[in-house]
Amino acid sequence: MLGLFSGTSKATPESEVKLAQLYVSGEKATYKQVDRWINQVTNLSVWHFVDDIEDINSVVHLKLFSSLKGQRFRGDSTFRTYVQRITRYTCIDQVRSQRVSREIEPDDIPMPAESERPDLLHEEKEERRIFIKIFRAIGPECQRIWRMIFSDSMNYKEIGVKLGMPEGTVKRKVHECKQLAIELKEKLT
Amino acid sequence: MSVNKEMADLIPMLVTGKLSEAESKIVHEQIQLSPELQKELELWQGIYLVRKELPRFDSAGHLPPELLDRFAQGKVNQLSAEYGEITRHLQGCPACSEDVESLRQVVRLIPEEHVKLPRERTEWSRSIFGLRVPTVRALAPVFSFLVVVMALYVIFQRTGEQGDIATVMLKPQFEKRAVTDSTQVPEMQVFLKQNTNKVIFAFATDRLEVPEYEYVVNLTPKAGLPIIVSSAAVECQPTQITNQCELSVTDSNILKQLKQGGSFSLSIKEQFPGNVELEPVQYEYYFRVSVK
């Protein structure tokens, strides 16, 4: 196994795909190695101004998981390069989201009752963080559709018209995104 | 479609309040009866909870990170329309320009790794023409010398003739702008037979072949007017280092002109679509035709 991580062993498509499979199966050593690869990128001083950089690690893992489940990695590059590519993209996403400042309407934030327990508040906060991570990891197509449903309050027909696809296709995509979100949530909880 | 599936599709609309009162009532009733639908409701409510955060992740109007990453690594073909679109966007978008710089720094510090070639190629490379690679390596200087001698022979002495087809290896001499006095330029020797019915001018270029790009080709006798050769006759194949292009001439009028013998210049100028901001290169080849 260590040979798979060793810099002296030559990478082949087969060996890299095998490494990816070990990661998806949850093998601990592989998971730790992937974490190290992610940190190599996120620890660079280039991102020193980025908030919540530690959150990026978990988002990258989620993106990696959903990408590998969709069998999008075929060993064309080393697994390390694949991981670090996704990390770079995620860092850029985070940089971009920081640039956009969104004023949150106070009325829209559910304010806790005075008697509400701190542990419940903490739980709700954690739940919100989990859903933000899911949203970031889900992929641009799902993000776009969810944004149309939840921010723009569009129904399936309206979304279909905007995206140029039948209503049935929109429903199917929403279903697929939901299934992925469920898997990602299970990974996080 | 099962009832549950239909209900599941309606839950996101329920959460956003897009259902009528009657529809909402039906969906709520079904949710009460189904733990599966209850879970769906919790999921969508959770996503709805972060709806105010959603616009932060809206990258509409910016280039996707994947594209910026490829661009930062120089992996976008500089002659492609895509490259032109990217550079135009970057000129007007400081945010994306900043992102490209960040990515450049990152890949400089942590470059990407490559995988070994597929097994089939590896096996082939272990044996070249039946010889083991170490043997080939040992004989490489000899092979190289022979290749150079043959190339010089072909370029300067003879055309490769395959029946009625003449192949002329054009040695890159000058780019047009470097030539100040064409009368002083040394000429290559090209030999044609009277029954030659096709001439292939082979040349190398460091530009990559892109279908939208064309060449303007002119064949000019020393004391005559330029003859326009169709750019459709130029075909290029990419190799590891440069593009190997071939200009095939089968037009009988042009061949007739060539077979009159004498000195010619062949100019091949790149032509790009209007939205590409690149300086086109023009190659000039000078040769003297002798006919047997």
Side-chain angles (χ1 to χ4, degrees), chain A residues 11 40 46-47 76 78 80-81 84-85 88-89 96-97 99 108 128 131 135-136 146-147 149-151 153 156 178, chain B residues 9 12 16 18 40 43-44 46 48 51-54 56-57 63 66 68-69 73 95 99 105 110 112-113 115-116:
Chain A
Q40 279 176 355
V46 170
W47 314 114
D76 300 328
T78 62
R80 178 187 167 214
T81 290
Q84 292 184 331
R85 250 185 226 152
R88 292 197 297 270
Y89 304 161
R96 285 176 168 183
S97 73
R99 284 195 193 113
D108 289 333
R128 187 166 153 272
F131 279 108
F135 185 81
R136 291 175 65 187
W146 285 359
R147 202 178 299 118
I149 295 173
F150 296 111
S151 283
S153 295
Y156 294 125
K178 177 200 69 186
Chain B
D9 286 342
T16 55
K18 297 286 281 185
E40 296 250 345
L43 178 76
W44 289 122
Y48 185 61
R51 73 195 184 286
K52 286 296 179 185
E53 307 279 347
L54 303 188
R56 284 177 57 198
F57 306 107
L63 297 174
E66 297 83 349
L68 289 182
D69 193 63
Q73 294 185 69
D99 294 341
Q105 285 183 51
I110 310 177
E112 294 199 337
E113 295 170 334
V115 288
K116 206 174 167 188

Short mmCIF file of all heavy atoms in Angstrom, two decimals, chain A residues 11 40 46-47 76 78 80-81 84-85 88-89 96-97 99 108 128 131 135-136 146-147 149-151 153 156 178, chain B residues 9 12 16 18 40 43-44 46 48 51-54 56-57 63 66 68-69 73 95 99 105 110 112-113 115-116:
data_model
loop_
_atom_site.label_atom_id
_atom_site.label_comp_id
_atom_site.label_asym_id
_atom_site.label_seq_id
_atom_site.Cartn_x
_atom_site.Cartn_y
_atom_site.Cartn_z
N ALA A 11 3.70 5.90 -11.53
CA ALA A 11 2.24 5.89 -11.57
C ALA A 11 1.77 5.33 -12.89
O ALA A 11 2.31 5.67 -13.95
CB ALA A 11 1.72 7.30 -11.38
N GLN A 40 -1.62 20.26 1.41
CA GLN A 40 -0.48 20.83 0.69
C GLN A 40 -0.90 22.06 -0.11
O GLN A 40 -0.16 23.02 -0.25
CB GLN A 40 0.12 19.78 -0.28
CG GLN A 40 1.03 18.80 0.36
CD GLN A 40 1.51 17.73 -0.62
OE1 GLN A 40 1.09 17.66 -1.77
NE2 GLN A 40 2.40 16.88 -0.15
N VAL A 46 -0.69 31.55 -0.67
CA VAL A 46 -1.57 32.16 -1.67
C VAL A 46 -2.98 32.34 -1.09
O VAL A 46 -3.68 33.30 -1.41
CB VAL A 46 -1.65 31.24 -2.91
CG1 VAL A 46 -2.73 31.70 -3.86
CG2 VAL A 46 -0.32 31.20 -3.60
N TRP A 47 -3.40 31.40 -0.25
CA TRP A 47 -4.78 31.44 0.26
C TRP A 47 -4.83 32.02 1.68
O TRP A 47 -5.82 31.83 2.38
CB TRP A 47 -5.38 30.03 0.28
CG TRP A 47 -5.17 29.21 -0.94
CD1 TRP A 47 -4.43 28.06 -1.03
CD2 TRP A 47 -5.68 29.45 -2.24
NE1 TRP A 47 -4.46 27.58 -2.31
CE2 TRP A 47 -5.22 28.42 -3.08
CE3 TRP A 47 -6.48 30.46 -2.81
CZ2 TRP A 47 -5.52 28.35 -4.43
CZ3 TRP A 47 -6.79 30.38 -4.17
CH2 TRP A 47 -6.31 29.34 -4.95
N ASP A 76 -6.19 9.22 -15.91
CA ASP A 76 -5.48 10.02 -16.89
C ASP A 76 -4.39 10.87 -16.24
O ASP A 76 -3.42 11.27 -16.88
CB ASP A 76 -6.45 10.97 -17.62
CG ASP A 76 -7.54 10.18 -18.33
OD1 ASP A 76 -7.24 9.06 -18.77
OD2 ASP A 76 -8.67 10.68 -18.44
N THR A 78 -2.34 11.43 -12.14
CA THR A 78 -2.19 10.71 -10.88
C THR A 78 -3.36 11.11 -9.97
O THR A 78 -3.95 12.18 -10.14
CB THR A 78 -0.87 11.06 -10.16
OG1 THR A 78 -0.88 12.47 -9.85
CG2 THR A 78 0.34 10.75 -11.04
N ARG A 80 -3.20 11.95 -6.94
CA ARG A 80 -2.78 13.14 -6.20
C ARG A 80 -3.10 14.41 -7.00
O ARG A 80 -3.63 15.38 -6.47
CB ARG A 80 -1.30 13.06 -5.90
CG ARG A 80 -0.77 14.28 -5.18
CD ARG A 80 0.73 14.26 -5.05
NE ARG A 80 1.17 15.58 -4.64
CZ ARG A 80 2.31 16.15 -5.01
NH1 ARG A 80 3.12 15.51 -5.80
NH2 ARG A 80 2.64 17.34 -4.59
N THR A 81 -2.76 14.40 -8.27
CA THR A 81 -3.04 15.55 -9.12
C THR A 81 -4.53 15.81 -9.19
O THR A 81 -4.98 16.96 -9.15
CB THR A 81 -2.45 15.32 -10.52
OG1 THR A 81 -1.03 15.37 -10.44
CG2 THR A 81 -2.92 16.36 -11.52
N GLN A 84 -5.67 17.38 -5.98
CA GLN A 84 -5.20 18.76 -5.82
C GLN A 84 -5.85 19.70 -6.82
O GLN A 84 -5.99 20.89 -6.56
CB GLN A 84 -3.67 18.80 -5.89
CG GLN A 84 -3.05 18.13 -4.68
CD GLN A 84 -1.54 18.20 -4.62
OE1 GLN A 84 -0.87 18.26 -5.63
NE2 GLN A 84 -1.01 18.17 -3.41
N ARG A 85 -6.27 19.16 -7.94
CA ARG A 85 -7.03 19.99 -8.90
C ARG A 85 -8.36 20.41 -8.25
O ARG A 85 -8.72 21.58 -8.28
CB ARG A 85 -7.36 19.16 -10.15
CG ARG A 85 -6.61 19.57 -11.37
CD ARG A 85 -7.06 18.80 -12.56
NE ARG A 85 -5.91 18.34 -13.30
CZ ARG A 85 -5.87 17.26 -14.05
NH1 ARG A 85 -6.93 16.49 -14.16
NH2 ARG A 85 -4.78 16.93 -14.71
N ARG A 88 -7.84 23.03 -5.73
CA ARG A 88 -7.63 24.36 -6.31
C ARG A 88 -8.97 24.99 -6.72
O ARG A 88 -9.23 26.16 -6.44
CB ARG A 88 -6.71 24.29 -7.54
CG ARG A 88 -5.29 23.92 -7.25
CD ARG A 88 -4.36 24.27 -8.42
NE ARG A 88 -4.66 23.56 -9.63
CZ ARG A 88 -4.13 22.37 -9.96
NH1 ARG A 88 -3.31 21.77 -9.12
NH2 ARG A 88 -4.42 21.78 -11.11
N TYR A 89 -9.82 24.18 -7.37
CA TYR A 89 -11.12 24.71 -7.80
C TYR A 89 -11.93 25.16 -6.59
O TYR A 89 -12.58 26.21 -6.61
CB TYR A 89 -11.94 23.65 -8.57
CG TYR A 89 -11.28 23.03 -9.77
CD1 TYR A 89 -11.75 21.83 -10.28
CD2 TYR A 89 -10.20 23.62 -10.41
CE1 TYR A 89 -11.16 21.23 -11.39
CE2 TYR A 89 -9.59 23.02 -11.51
CZ TYR A 89 -10.09 21.83 -11.99
OH TYR A 89 -9.49 21.23 -13.08
N ARG A 96 -14.18 33.35 -4.38
CA ARG A 96 -15.27 34.05 -5.08
C ARG A 96 -16.43 34.33 -4.14
O ARG A 96 -17.02 35.41 -4.19
CB ARG A 96 -15.75 33.22 -6.27
CG ARG A 96 -14.77 33.27 -7.42
CD ARG A 96 -15.19 32.38 -8.56
NE ARG A 96 -14.39 32.67 -9.73
CZ ARG A 96 -14.54 32.11 -10.90
NH1 ARG A 96 -15.47 31.19 -11.07
NH2 ARG A 96 -13.76 32.44 -11.92
N SER A 97 -16.78 33.33 -3.32
CA SER A 97 -17.93 33.54 -2.44
C SER A 97 -17.62 34.63 -1.42
O SER A 97 -18.51 35.35 -0.98
CB SER A 97 -18.33 32.24 -1.75
OG SER A 97 -17.40 31.90 -0.76
N ARG A 99 -15.90 37.25 -2.07
CA ARG A 99 -15.97 38.53 -2.77
C ARG A 99 -17.40 39.06 -2.79
O ARG A 99 -17.67 40.25 -2.76
CB ARG A 99 -15.49 38.39 -4.22
CG ARG A 99 -14.02 38.29 -4.39
CD ARG A 99 -13.62 38.52 -5.83
NE ARG A 99 -12.24 38.12 -6.03
CZ ARG A 99 -11.86 37.10 -6.78
NH1 ARG A 99 -12.76 36.37 -7.42
NH2 ARG A 99 -10.59 36.80 -6.92
N ASP A 108 -35.30 37.33 7.76
CA ASP A 108 -35.19 36.00 7.18
C ASP A 108 -34.40 35.05 8.06
O ASP A 108 -34.35 33.85 7.79
CB ASP A 108 -34.49 36.08 5.81
CG ASP A 108 -35.40 36.71 4.78
OD1 ASP A 108 -36.62 36.60 4.95
OD2 ASP A 108 -34.88 37.31 3.84
N ARG A 128 -26.75 23.83 9.61
CA ARG A 128 -26.62 24.85 8.55
C ARG A 128 -25.26 24.73 7.87
O ARG A 128 -25.14 24.80 6.64
CB ARG A 128 -26.82 26.23 9.16
CG ARG A 128 -26.89 27.35 8.15
CD ARG A 128 -27.41 28.64 8.79
NE ARG A 128 -26.90 29.78 8.07
CZ ARG A 128 -25.74 30.38 8.33
NH1 ARG A 128 -24.98 29.96 9.31
NH2 ARG A 128 -25.32 31.40 7.60
N PHE A 131 -25.26 21.82 5.51
CA PHE A 131 -25.97 22.06 4.26
C PHE A 131 -25.21 23.02 3.34
O PHE A 131 -25.27 22.90 2.12
CB PHE A 131 -27.40 22.55 4.52
CG PHE A 131 -28.34 21.44 4.84
CD1 PHE A 131 -28.82 21.27 6.12
CD2 PHE A 131 -28.70 20.52 3.86
CE1 PHE A 131 -29.67 20.21 6.42
CE2 PHE A 131 -29.54 19.47 4.16
CZ PHE A 131 -30.02 19.31 5.44
N PHE A 135 -24.04 22.02 -0.37
CA PHE A 135 -24.32 22.86 -1.52
C PHE A 135 -23.05 23.15 -2.30
O PHE A 135 -23.03 23.15 -3.53
CB PHE A 135 -24.98 24.17 -1.08
CG PHE A 135 -25.39 25.03 -2.23
CD1 PHE A 135 -26.58 24.78 -2.91
CD2 PHE A 135 -24.59 26.07 -2.66
CE1 PHE A 135 -26.94 25.55 -4.00
CE2 PHE A 135 -24.96 26.84 -3.75
CZ PHE A 135 -26.13 26.58 -4.41
N ARG A 136 -21.96 23.38 -1.59
CA ARG A 136 -20.71 23.70 -2.28
C ARG A 136 -20.14 22.50 -3.01
O ARG A 136 -19.45 22.64 -4.02
CB ARG A 136 -19.71 24.24 -1.27
CG ARG A 136 -20.10 25.60 -0.72
CD ARG A 136 -19.16 26.06 0.36
NE ARG A 136 -17.84 26.28 -0.20
CZ ARG A 136 -16.77 26.55 0.52
NH1 ARG A 136 -16.88 26.62 1.84
NH2 ARG A 136 -15.61 26.74 -0.04
N TRP A 146 -31.02 24.28 -7.73
CA TRP A 146 -31.47 24.57 -6.36
C TRP A 146 -31.63 26.07 -6.14
O TRP A 146 -32.54 26.52 -5.45
CB TRP A 146 -30.47 24.01 -5.35
CG TRP A 146 -30.53 22.53 -5.20
CD1 TRP A 146 -31.38 21.68 -5.83
CD2 TRP A 146 -29.72 21.74 -4.36
NE1 TRP A 146 -31.14 20.40 -5.43
CE2 TRP A 146 -30.13 20.40 -4.53
CE3 TRP A 146 -28.68 22.02 -3.48
CZ2 TRP A 146 -29.53 19.35 -3.84
CZ3 TRP A 146 -28.10 20.98 -2.79
CH2 TRP A 146 -28.52 19.65 -2.98
N ARG A 147 -30.74 26.82 -6.76
CA ARG A 147 -30.83 28.28 -6.62
C ARG A 147 -32.14 28.76 -7.24
O ARG A 147 -32.82 29.63 -6.69
CB ARG A 147 -29.64 28.93 -7.32
CG ARG A 147 -29.34 30.34 -6.83
CD ARG A 147 -28.12 30.93 -7.51
NE ARG A 147 -26.93 30.13 -7.23
CZ ARG A 147 -26.20 29.51 -8.15
NH1 ARG A 147 -26.52 29.56 -9.42
NH2 ARG A 147 -25.14 28.80 -7.81
N ILE A 149 -34.89 27.06 -7.51
CA ILE A 149 -36.01 26.63 -6.67
C ILE A 149 -36.07 27.47 -5.40
O ILE A 149 -37.14 27.98 -5.03
CB ILE A 149 -35.87 25.14 -6.30
CG1 ILE A 149 -35.97 24.26 -7.55
CG2 ILE A 149 -36.93 24.74 -5.28
CD1 ILE A 149 -35.68 22.79 -7.30
N PHE A 150 -34.93 27.63 -4.71
CA PHE A 150 -34.97 28.19 -3.37
C PHE A 150 -34.70 29.69 -3.29
O PHE A 150 -35.17 30.33 -2.37
CB PHE A 150 -33.99 27.43 -2.47
CG PHE A 150 -34.37 25.99 -2.29
CD1 PHE A 150 -33.61 24.97 -2.83
CD2 PHE A 150 -35.53 25.65 -1.61
CE1 PHE A 150 -33.97 23.65 -2.68
CE2 PHE A 150 -35.91 24.33 -1.46
CZ PHE A 150 -35.13 23.33 -1.99
N SER A 151 -33.94 30.21 -4.21
CA SER A 151 -33.70 31.66 -4.18
C SER A 151 -34.66 32.39 -5.10
O SER A 151 -35.20 33.44 -4.74
CB SER A 151 -32.26 31.98 -4.61
OG SER A 151 -31.35 31.71 -3.59
N SER A 153 -37.44 31.02 -6.31
CA SER A 153 -38.81 30.50 -6.11
C SER A 153 -39.50 30.13 -7.41
O SER A 153 -40.65 30.49 -7.65
CB SER A 153 -39.66 31.54 -5.36
OG SER A 153 -39.17 31.74 -4.07
N TYR A 156 -41.07 23.82 -11.38
CA TYR A 156 -40.35 22.97 -12.33
C TYR A 156 -40.56 23.43 -13.77
O TYR A 156 -39.66 23.42 -14.60
CB TYR A 156 -40.80 21.51 -12.21
CG TYR A 156 -40.43 20.87 -10.89
CD1 TYR A 156 -41.39 20.28 -10.09
CD2 TYR A 156 -39.10 20.84 -10.45
CE1 TYR A 156 -41.05 19.68 -8.89
CE2 TYR A 156 -38.76 20.26 -9.25
CZ TYR A 156 -39.74 19.67 -8.47
OH TYR A 156 -39.41 19.09 -7.28
N LYS A 178 -30.74 15.39 -5.34
CA LYS A 178 -31.18 15.07 -3.99
C LYS A 178 -30.50 13.79 -3.50
O LYS A 178 -30.03 13.71 -2.37
CB LYS A 178 -32.70 14.92 -3.96
CG LYS A 178 -33.26 14.51 -2.62
CD LYS A 178 -34.62 13.91 -2.78
CE LYS A 178 -34.56 12.58 -3.48
NZ LYS A 178 -35.88 12.02 -3.79
N ASP B 9 -41.43 14.69 -5.53
CA ASP B 9 -41.18 15.80 -6.47
C ASP B 9 -41.83 17.09 -5.99
O ASP B 9 -41.35 18.18 -6.31
CB ASP B 9 -41.74 15.45 -7.86
CG ASP B 9 -40.87 14.42 -8.59
OD1 ASP B 9 -39.70 14.24 -8.19
OD2 ASP B 9 -41.38 13.79 -9.55
N PRO B 12 -40.01 19.92 -2.66
CA PRO B 12 -39.29 21.20 -2.78
C PRO B 12 -40.25 22.37 -3.00
O PRO B 12 -40.04 23.46 -2.48
CB PRO B 12 -38.38 20.99 -3.99
CG PRO B 12 -38.19 19.53 -4.07
CD PRO B 12 -39.48 18.93 -3.61
N THR B 16 -40.98 25.77 -0.53
CA THR B 16 -40.89 27.16 -1.00
C THR B 16 -42.26 27.83 -1.09
O THR B 16 -42.36 28.98 -1.52
CB THR B 16 -40.21 27.25 -2.37
OG1 THR B 16 -40.90 26.41 -3.30
CG2 THR B 16 -38.76 26.82 -2.29
N LYS B 18 -44.85 27.04 -3.02
CA LYS B 18 -45.36 27.19 -4.38
C LYS B 18 -46.60 26.32 -4.65
O LYS B 18 -47.15 26.35 -5.74
CB LYS B 18 -44.27 26.79 -5.40
CG LYS B 18 -43.03 27.66 -5.37
CD LYS B 18 -43.23 29.03 -5.96
CE LYS B 18 -43.19 28.98 -7.47
NZ LYS B 18 -43.26 30.31 -8.08
N GLU B 40 -37.19 13.23 3.28
CA GLU B 40 -37.05 14.14 2.12
C GLU B 40 -37.37 15.56 2.55
O GLU B 40 -36.67 16.50 2.18
CB GLU B 40 -38.02 13.73 1.01
CG GLU B 40 -37.76 12.38 0.39
CD GLU B 40 -37.23 12.49 -1.03
OE1 GLU B 40 -37.33 13.56 -1.63
OE2 GLU B 40 -36.69 11.48 -1.52
N LEU B 43 -34.56 17.09 4.45
CA LEU B 43 -33.43 17.44 3.59
C LEU B 43 -33.70 18.76 2.88
O LEU B 43 -32.88 19.68 2.89
CB LEU B 43 -33.20 16.34 2.55
CG LEU B 43 -32.06 16.64 1.57
CD1 LEU B 43 -30.70 16.45 2.21
CD2 LEU B 43 -32.16 15.74 0.34
N TRP B 44 -34.88 18.87 2.31
CA TRP B 44 -35.18 20.09 1.55
C TRP B 44 -35.33 21.30 2.47
O TRP B 44 -34.96 22.42 2.12
CB TRP B 44 -36.46 19.92 0.71
CG TRP B 44 -36.28 18.99 -0.46
CD1 TRP B 44 -36.99 17.85 -0.70
CD2 TRP B 44 -35.35 19.12 -1.53
NE1 TRP B 44 -36.54 17.25 -1.86
CE2 TRP B 44 -35.53 18.01 -2.39
CE3 TRP B 44 -34.36 20.05 -1.86
CZ2 TRP B 44 -34.79 17.81 -3.55
CZ3 TRP B 44 -33.62 19.84 -3.02
CH2 TRP B 44 -33.83 18.74 -3.84
N GLY B 46 -33.59 21.73 5.09
CA GLY B 46 -32.21 22.08 5.42
C GLY B 46 -31.58 22.89 4.31
O GLY B 46 -30.88 23.89 4.55
N TYR B 48 -33.22 24.65 2.13
CA TYR B 48 -33.94 25.93 2.09
C TYR B 48 -33.39 26.88 3.15
O TYR B 48 -33.34 28.08 2.95
CB TYR B 48 -35.43 25.66 2.31
CG TYR B 48 -36.32 26.88 2.19
CD1 TYR B 48 -36.38 27.60 1.00
CD2 TYR B 48 -37.09 27.31 3.26
CE1 TYR B 48 -37.19 28.71 0.88
CE2 TYR B 48 -37.91 28.42 3.15
CZ TYR B 48 -37.96 29.11 1.95
OH TYR B 48 -38.76 30.21 1.83
N ARG B 51 -30.75 29.16 1.94
CA ARG B 51 -31.06 29.82 0.67
C ARG B 51 -30.45 31.20 0.56
O ARG B 51 -30.10 31.66 -0.52
CB ARG B 51 -32.57 29.89 0.45
CG ARG B 51 -33.28 30.91 1.34
CD ARG B 51 -34.77 30.67 1.36
NE ARG B 51 -35.45 31.70 2.14
CZ ARG B 51 -35.44 31.76 3.45
NH1 ARG B 51 -34.76 30.88 4.16
NH2 ARG B 51 -36.10 32.72 4.08
N LYS B 52 -30.28 31.87 1.66
CA LYS B 52 -29.73 33.21 1.59
C LYS B 52 -28.23 33.17 1.29
O LYS B 52 -27.64 34.17 0.91
CB LYS B 52 -29.96 33.96 2.90
CG LYS B 52 -31.40 34.42 3.09
CD LYS B 52 -31.79 35.43 2.03
CE LYS B 52 -33.22 35.89 2.17
NZ LYS B 52 -33.60 36.79 1.07
N GLU B 53 -27.63 32.00 1.51
CA GLU B 53 -26.20 31.87 1.23
C GLU B 53 -25.98 31.57 -0.26
O GLU B 53 -24.87 31.72 -0.75
CB GLU B 53 -25.60 30.70 2.03
CG GLU B 53 -25.87 30.74 3.51
CD GLU B 53 -24.92 31.66 4.23
OE1 GLU B 53 -23.92 32.07 3.62
OE2 GLU B 53 -25.17 32.00 5.39
N LEU B 54 -27.05 31.08 -0.92
CA LEU B 54 -26.87 30.54 -2.28
C LEU B 54 -26.25 31.53 -3.27
O LEU B 54 -25.39 31.14 -4.05
CB LEU B 54 -28.19 30.01 -2.83
CG LEU B 54 -28.88 28.94 -1.99
CD1 LEU B 54 -30.08 28.37 -2.73
CD2 LEU B 54 -27.92 27.82 -1.65
N ARG B 56 -24.01 33.56 -2.89
CA ARG B 56 -22.56 33.69 -2.72
C ARG B 56 -21.82 32.74 -3.65
O ARG B 56 -20.65 32.95 -3.96
CB ARG B 56 -22.19 33.35 -1.28
CG ARG B 56 -22.50 34.42 -0.27
CD ARG B 56 -22.16 33.94 1.13
NE ARG B 56 -20.75 33.55 1.22
CZ ARG B 56 -20.26 32.80 2.19
NH1 ARG B 56 -21.05 32.32 3.12
NH2 ARG B 56 -18.99 32.50 2.22
N PHE B 57 -22.50 31.66 -4.00
CA PHE B 57 -21.82 30.65 -4.80
C PHE B 57 -22.21 30.75 -6.27
O PHE B 57 -21.99 29.83 -7.04
CB PHE B 57 -22.15 29.26 -4.25
CG PHE B 57 -21.85 29.13 -2.79
CD1 PHE B 57 -22.86 29.10 -1.86
CD2 PHE B 57 -20.54 29.11 -2.33
CE1 PHE B 57 -22.58 29.02 -0.50
CE2 PHE B 57 -20.26 29.03 -0.98
CZ PHE B 57 -21.29 28.98 -0.06
N LEU B 63 -15.53 32.99 -15.39
CA LEU B 63 -15.10 31.74 -16.01
C LEU B 63 -15.03 30.64 -14.96
O LEU B 63 -14.65 30.91 -13.82
CB LEU B 63 -13.72 31.92 -16.66
CG LEU B 63 -13.66 32.95 -17.80
CD1 LEU B 63 -12.22 33.14 -18.24
CD2 LEU B 63 -14.51 32.51 -18.95
N GLU B 66 -12.27 25.43 -13.48
CA GLU B 66 -11.57 24.41 -14.25
C GLU B 66 -10.90 25.03 -15.48
O GLU B 66 -9.77 24.68 -15.83
CB GLU B 66 -12.56 23.32 -14.73
CG GLU B 66 -13.25 22.55 -13.63
CD GLU B 66 -14.47 23.26 -13.04
OE1 GLU B 66 -14.68 24.46 -13.32
OE2 GLU B 66 -15.19 22.61 -12.27
N LEU B 68 -10.08 28.26 -15.85
CA LEU B 68 -9.00 29.15 -15.42
C LEU B 68 -7.75 28.35 -15.07
O LEU B 68 -6.63 28.78 -15.33
CB LEU B 68 -9.44 29.96 -14.18
CG LEU B 68 -10.50 31.04 -14.40
CD1 LEU B 68 -10.77 31.77 -13.09
CD2 LEU B 68 -10.06 32.03 -15.46
N ASP B 69 -7.96 27.17 -14.48
CA ASP B 69 -6.85 26.33 -14.08
C ASP B 69 -6.06 25.87 -15.30
O ASP B 69 -4.83 25.90 -15.33
CB ASP B 69 -7.38 25.13 -13.29
CG ASP B 69 -6.28 24.38 -12.58
OD1 ASP B 69 -5.63 24.98 -11.70
OD2 ASP B 69 -6.06 23.20 -12.90
N GLN B 73 -2.17 26.99 -16.51
CA GLN B 73 -1.09 26.03 -16.77
C GLN B 73 -0.66 26.03 -18.23
O GLN B 73 0.15 25.20 -18.63
CB GLN B 73 -1.56 24.62 -16.40
CG GLN B 73 -1.81 24.44 -14.91
CD GLN B 73 -2.15 23.01 -14.60
OE1 GLN B 73 -1.30 22.13 -14.68
NE2 GLN B 73 -3.39 22.76 -14.23
N ALA B 95 -11.40 40.18 -11.18
CA ALA B 95 -11.56 39.06 -10.24
C ALA B 95 -10.99 37.78 -10.84
O ALA B 95 -10.21 37.07 -10.21
CB ALA B 95 -13.03 38.88 -9.88
N ASP B 99 -7.76 35.43 -9.89
CA ASP B 99 -7.87 33.98 -9.68
C ASP B 99 -6.83 33.24 -10.51
O ASP B 99 -6.23 32.27 -10.05
CB ASP B 99 -9.28 33.49 -10.04
CG ASP B 99 -10.34 34.05 -9.10
OD1 ASP B 99 -9.97 34.48 -7.99
OD2 ASP B 99 -11.53 34.04 -9.48
N GLN B 105 0.40 30.60 -9.29
CA GLN B 105 1.34 30.45 -8.18
C GLN B 105 1.25 29.05 -7.59
O GLN B 105 2.26 28.43 -7.27
CB GLN B 105 1.03 31.46 -7.08
CG GLN B 105 1.45 32.87 -7.42
CD GLN B 105 1.19 33.81 -6.27
OE1 GLN B 105 1.57 33.54 -5.14
NE2 GLN B 105 0.53 34.91 -6.55
N ILE B 110 3.28 23.60 -6.70
CA ILE B 110 2.90 22.17 -6.69
C ILE B 110 2.47 21.79 -8.09
O ILE B 110 1.28 21.79 -8.42
CB ILE B 110 1.74 21.91 -5.70
CG1 ILE B 110 2.04 22.53 -4.35
CG2 ILE B 110 1.53 20.41 -5.55
CD1 ILE B 110 0.91 22.37 -3.34
N GLU B 112 1.62 19.58 -11.51
CA GLU B 112 0.86 18.35 -11.68
C GLU B 112 1.81 17.21 -12.05
O GLU B 112 2.87 17.43 -12.63
CB GLU B 112 -0.21 18.54 -12.76
CG GLU B 112 -1.27 19.54 -12.35
CD GLU B 112 -2.55 19.42 -13.15
OE1 GLU B 112 -2.51 18.87 -14.27
OE2 GLU B 112 -3.60 19.85 -12.64
N GLU B 113 1.38 15.99 -11.69
CA GLU B 113 2.18 14.81 -12.01
C GLU B 113 1.55 14.10 -13.19
O GLU B 113 0.34 14.19 -13.41
CB GLU B 113 2.19 13.84 -10.82
CG GLU B 113 2.89 14.39 -9.60
CD GLU B 113 2.68 13.52 -8.39
OE1 GLU B 113 1.66 12.81 -8.32
OE2 GLU B 113 3.54 13.56 -7.51
N VAL B 115 1.09 10.42 -15.55
CA VAL B 115 1.12 8.97 -15.41
C VAL B 115 1.95 8.39 -16.54
O VAL B 115 2.14 9.00 -17.57
CB VAL B 115 -0.28 8.33 -15.45
CG1 VAL B 115 -1.02 8.64 -14.19
CG2 VAL B 115 -1.04 8.75 -16.66
N LYS B 116 2.39 7.12 -16.29
CA LYS B 116 3.15 6.40 -17.30
C LYS B 116 2.23 6.11 -18.47
O LYS B 116 1.02 5.98 -18.31
CB LYS B 116 3.61 5.09 -16.65
CG LYS B 116 4.85 4.50 -17.23
CD LYS B 116 5.25 3.30 -16.37
CE LYS B 116 6.29 2.47 -17.08
NZ LYS B 116 6.56 1.23 -16.40
#
